[in-house]
Amino acid sequence: MNDEFELLESQNQAPFDIKAFLIRALSYWMWFVLCIGLGVFIVYQQNIRKQQSYRLSTQISVEDDKNPLFTSNTSLTFNWGGVSGKVKTIMTTLKSRSHHEKVVDSLAFYINYLKQSRFRKDEIYKAAPFKIDLTPNTYQVLNHPIKISFLGEDKIKLETNFEATTLATQNFDTKEKDEIAVTNGLKTYVEKLNTPINLPFFKGIVSQREKRTYNVGDEYFILFKDFDAVVRNYNSKLKIDNPTNSSILNLSMTDYNTSKIVDYLNKCVEILRKDQLDKKNLFVTNTIAFIDKQLAREKAKLTSRADSLNNYREQNKIFNLDEESLQINEKLSQFEIERDNINRKLAYYKSLRTYLETSNSFTELPAPSIAGIDDVNILNNISKINALSVQKSKYEASVRSDASIFTDLNNQIDGLKSVLLENISSATAGLRRELSFIGGKIAQSTSKIRKLPKNQQQILTIQRQYALSEQTYNLFLSKRGEADIIKSANVSDIQIIDTAKDTGAIPIDLKLSARYVF
C-alpha cells in the first residue's frame, strides 16, 4: 500500500525547469557584472604594480687542457689532470662565498642606481646617466636612499631625509661596519660633477657615464647595501646545472634587471677562469720567482768578475797566453762547471728535504730542472705531491676543514713524502761519490796550473771564475725564457661555450593576459 502511494506521488511531481532556472539566474546580472568588473580591476592593479623577473644563462665546459708547448723534454712544469672530480670542484667553487665576494666586489653591486617609477624605485643600473666612484677606505651609509637631482652647469643636488639619529655605515674596501651620529630631518647639499664629495654619509665622486645624457631636473637615487647581504643574495640566485654528469655546466640567474644578470654571470665565469689559471700556473710562477733571484745574484757575480779580469789584464799587461796553458785551464773550467752543477743539485736536495720536513703546503716548490735534476722518480713524485697540494688548496677555499677529503689527501701526500725522502737520500749519496771523483780531476789539473808563473795562474783563475758565472747565468736565463713561454701558453681549464647575453628576454612570471582570463 505504501509502495503504491509513493509511486503516485512521484508521478505527480513536476520535472526540473532549466529555462526558468536560467531566467532567474540572469535576473542577478548586475551582481555578475559587478564581481567580474571588480576582479578585472584587482588584476589590473596587480599587473601594473608587479615587477617582472627575467632569467638568463651562460654555458661553460670544464676541460683538461694541457699546455700546447709541453713535450717530453720540457721539465719546468708538470701536467696532471683528468676531468674526474674537477667538475664537482668547480661547482663547489662557484657556490662558495669567497668566489661571490670577488664578483660582487669587482662589479661594485653593493651600489644600487634607482629611479622613481609610478609605484616603486626601480633598479636602472647602467641606464643611469652617472656613476659613483667611492673615495678609498671611507664609510658609506647603508640602506638609506640618497636622492641626486641634476641642476645644470655640472651641478647636482644631494638630498636625504634621516629619521634616526644613528645610521649604519660600511667601508667597502675593508668591509668593516660602523655607526655615525646624524641629525634627523631633510638635508640638502649642492655639489659638482667630477669633484670629490665629502659628506658624513657619502664620500666619493659623481661623474657622467660615457654615452649617457641627462636633462636638467632629472632625479635619481643611489642606495648602498650591506656587502655580505648582497653576496648572500647573489649566491642564492646562481643556479648550476650539470646535465648527465658531463663536463658541461649551465649557470643561470633570475633578477629584475637583465643587464645586471649578464654582467654578473660573465664576471662570475671570468673570475673563475682567472683563478683556475693562476692555480694552474702556480708551479711555474714560483719557479720564475726562484730563477729571478738566482739571475740577480749571478749577474752581480758576472759583472764583478768581468771587471776583475779586465783590471788584472790592464795592470799586468797580459793579453795572450800560450796554447798549452789555455787547454789545461779549459779542462779545469769544465771540471769546475761539473762540480758546480753537482753542488747545485746537492743544495737543491738539501733545500727540498728541509721543505718536505717542515712545510704543510707543497705548492711553492721550484722546478727540479732548475738545479739540473733529471732523476725520473724524483720528478714524478714531486709532480704528484704538487698536484695533490694544488687540489687541496682548491678544496680549502670551498670545503669545510673537517671534511674527509682532507684526511685522504694528507695521507697520500705523507706517503709520497716518505718515498721522496728515500729518493733524495739515494740521489745525494750518488752525487757525493761523483763529486769526489771530480775533485780528483780538479786536483790533477790544478797541480799543472801551479807550475805556471804566478801572474798567469792568477789570470787563469779569474778567467775560470768568469766562465763559471757566465755558464750559470746563461743556464738560468734560458730556463727563465722557457718558463715564460710555458706560462704564456697555459690555458684555463674553463672554456666558455655561450656567454650570458640579453637577446630579448621575456618575463618568466605568470603572463598578465592569463591572469585576466583566470
Side-chain angles (χ1 to χ4, degrees):
M1 187 69 179
N2 291 334
D3 292 339
E4 292 178 0
F5 179 76
E6 291 176 359
L7 180 61
L8 290 172
E9 187 179 47
S10 63
Q11 290 176 347
N12 295 329
Q13 186 176 7
F16 178 73
D17 192 346
I18 297 177
K19 182 178 179 181
F21 172 77
L22 292 176
I23 293 174
R24 186 172 182 181
L26 288 174
S27 66
Y28 296 102
W29 65 269
M30 288 183 295
W31 289 106
F32 285 115
V33 171
L34 180 62
C35 290
I36 292 174
L38 182 61
V40 169
F41 177 77
I42 292 173
V43 171
Y44 171 75
Q45 292 299 322
Q46 291 177 341
N47 286 348
I48 62 177
R49 285 171 169 78
K50 183 172 180 60
Q51 192 170 11
Q52 297 295 327
S53 299
Y54 301 87
R55 181 183 294 121
L56 297 176
S57 62
T58 182
Q59 191 175 63
I60 63 175
S61 67
V62 183
E63 305 292 343
D64 186 26
D65 285 328
K66 296 184 178 182
N67 194 314
L69 297 182
F70 182 81
T71 66
S72 58
N73 297 322
T74 306
S75 53
L76 269 175
T77 187
F78 301 112
N79 283 274
W80 53 82
V83 180
S84 128
K86 192 173 290 187
V87 173
K88 292 190 179 297
T89 302
I90 296 299
M91 292 175 66
T92 305
T93 301
L94 283 169
K95 292 300 292 181
S96 67
R97 173 185 50 80
S98 58
H99 179 74
H100 286 273
E101 284 180 348
K102 293 178 183 178
V103 180
V104 171
D105 216 12
S106 176
L107 294 170
F109 269 14
Y110 42 80
I111 305 176
N112 287 59
Y113 298 85
L114 310 172
K115 187 171 184 178
Q116 182 68 50
S117 63
R118 183 179 176 184
F119 300 105
R120 61 184 168 269
K121 293 182 177 68
D122 290 331
E123 169 67 55
I124 58 175
Y125 190 38
K126 290 182 178 178
F130 65 95
K131 64 178 181 178
I132 302 295
D133 295 307
L134 299 179
T135 303
N137 203 31
T138 56
Y139 287 83
Q140 317 294 334
V141 67
L142 291 178
N143 303 317
H144 195 92
I146 302 171
K147 185 178 180 180
I148 296 179
S149 306
F150 287 88
L151 304 178
E153 298 180 355
D154 290 340
K155 290 185 178 180
I156 56 174
K157 181 172 66 174
L158 279 69
E159 295 180 61
T160 185
N161 190 4
F162 297 132
E163 298 178 355
T165 55
T166 58
L167 296 174
T169 62
Q170 186 169 24
N171 184 327
F172 291 108
D173 290 326
T174 64
K175 309 304 181 285
E176 295 178 354
K177 297 178 184 177
D178 199 0
E179 288 188 348
I180 60 170
V182 295
T183 55
N184 53 14
L186 180 64
K187 302 291 186 300
T188 302
Y189 304 89
V190 176
E191 303 287 346
K192 293 195 69 175
L193 287 173
N194 307 311
T195 302
I197 300 172
N198 188 16
L199 299 175
F201 54 87
F202 170 67
K203 295 176 177 63
I205 297 175
V206 180
S207 57
Q208 185 175 352
R209 197 183 294 272
E210 292 183 7
K211 299 180 181 179
R212 297 288 180 185
T213 59
Y214 62 86
N215 298 315
V216 175
D218 286 350
E219 296 178 350
Y220 301 90
F221 295 86
I222 57 172
L223 178 69
F224 300 103
K225 289 190 175 181
D226 181 278
F227 179 81
D228 295 325
V230 175
V231 170
R232 287 194 299 269
N233 179 43
Y234 279 98
N235 194 351
S236 64
K237 286 181 178 179
L238 181 66
K239 305 302 179 186
I240 306 172
D241 178 41
N242 178 217
T244 62
N245 294 321
S246 66
S247 62
I248 303 297
L249 291 180
N250 296 313
L251 313 181
S252 63
M253 180 172 286
T254 302
D255 202 355
Y256 299 125
N257 190 293
T258 56
S259 296
K260 293 192 80 170
I261 303 176
V262 169
D263 285 356
Y264 197 92
L265 287 177
N266 289 334
K267 181 62 70 172
C268 190
V269 174
E270 178 187 331
I271 290 178
L272 177 67
R273 295 190 72 204
K274 182 181 182 302
D275 287 349
Q276 292 298 312
L277 185 58
D278 287 344
K279 289 177 181 177
K280 195 173 183 180
N281 280 332
L282 184 60
F283 188 75
V284 180
T285 301
N286 292 331
T287 298
I288 289 175
F290 175 81
I291 293 175
D292 287 341
K293 291 181 181 178
Q294 304 305 314
L295 278 174
R297 187 181 65 182
E298 292 301 327
K299 184 177 181 180
K301 285 184 182 180
L302 189 61
T303 303
S304 174
R305 288 170 179 175
D307 292 340
S308 298
L309 181 60
N310 292 330
N311 292 337
Y312 193 85
R313 281 176 170 171
E314 288 290 338
Q315 292 173 3
N316 295 274
K317 307 300 181 184
I318 301 176
F319 299 100
N320 295 309
L321 295 171
D322 60 84
E323 187 67 26
E324 184 179 359
S325 299
L326 291 174
Q327 289 179 357
I328 296 173
N329 195 58
E330 185 177 349
K331 286 185 179 180
L332 184 56
S333 295
Q334 290 298 322
F335 290 141
E336 287 182 342
I337 289 173
E338 289 181 29
R339 182 178 64 182
D340 185 69
N341 290 336
I342 294 173
N343 285 329
R344 190 182 302 113
K345 292 179 182 180
L346 289 171
Y348 180 86
Y349 283 140
K350 182 180 179 181
S351 174
L352 180 59
R353 178 183 288 277
T354 303
Y355 191 86
L356 291 172
E357 292 174 344
T358 59
S359 180
N360 294 321
S361 174
F362 307 99
T363 58
E364 298 181 2
L365 283 169
S369 63
I370 296 302
I373 306 298
D374 52 7
D375 188 303
V376 176
N377 291 327
I378 291 176
L379 291 175
N380 288 339
N381 287 328
I382 290 179
S383 171
K384 292 175 182 177
I385 286 182
N386 193 68
L388 291 171
S389 191
V390 169
Q391 186 178 357
K392 181 180 175 182
S393 68
K394 290 180 180 178
Y395 284 126
E396 285 173 346
S398 53
V399 180
R400 293 188 319 179
S401 58
D402 58 349
S404 60
I405 184 67
F406 292 114
T407 303
D408 182 51
L409 288 172
N410 288 332
N411 290 338
Q412 293 183 58
I413 291 174
D414 289 340
L416 287 170
K417 272 173 57 178
S418 300
V419 175
L420 187 54
L421 288 171
E422 292 180 5
N423 295 149
I424 292 172
S425 297
S426 176
T428 300
L431 286 173
R432 293 195 184 282
R433 291 192 295 270
E434 190 176 346
L435 185 63
S436 177
F437 176 77
I438 294 296
K441 295 290 186 180
I442 290 176
Q444 293 178 7
S445 299
T446 303
S447 64
K448 295 180 181 180
I449 293 287
R450 286 174 180 169
K451 297 177 182 179
L452 298 174
K454 291 290 184 182
N455 58 352
Q456 291 189 21
Q457 290 184 39
Q458 185 64 26
I459 196 169
L460 288 174
T461 299
I462 297 174
Q463 283 182 339
R464 289 198 309 276
Q465 292 174 344
Y466 177 81
L468 181 61
S469 293
E470 185 179 37
Q471 190 268 347
T472 304
Y473 182 80
N474 289 336
L475 171 65
F476 283 124
L477 198 62
S478 65
K479 295 296 183 183
R480 180 64 162 82
E482 182 182 340
D484 279 335
I485 292 173
I486 291 173
K487 185 175 182 179
S488 299
N490 259 344
V491 292
S492 175
D493 291 338
I494 309 300
Q495 303 300 320
I496 302 174
I497 299 176
D498 273 330
T499 58
K501 185 178 181 181
D502 181 8
T503 57
I506 58 175
I508 62 172
D509 301 307
L510 182 66
K511 291 184 178 180
L512 305 185
S513 57
R515 300 178 70 180
Y516 283 116
V517 172
F518 177 77

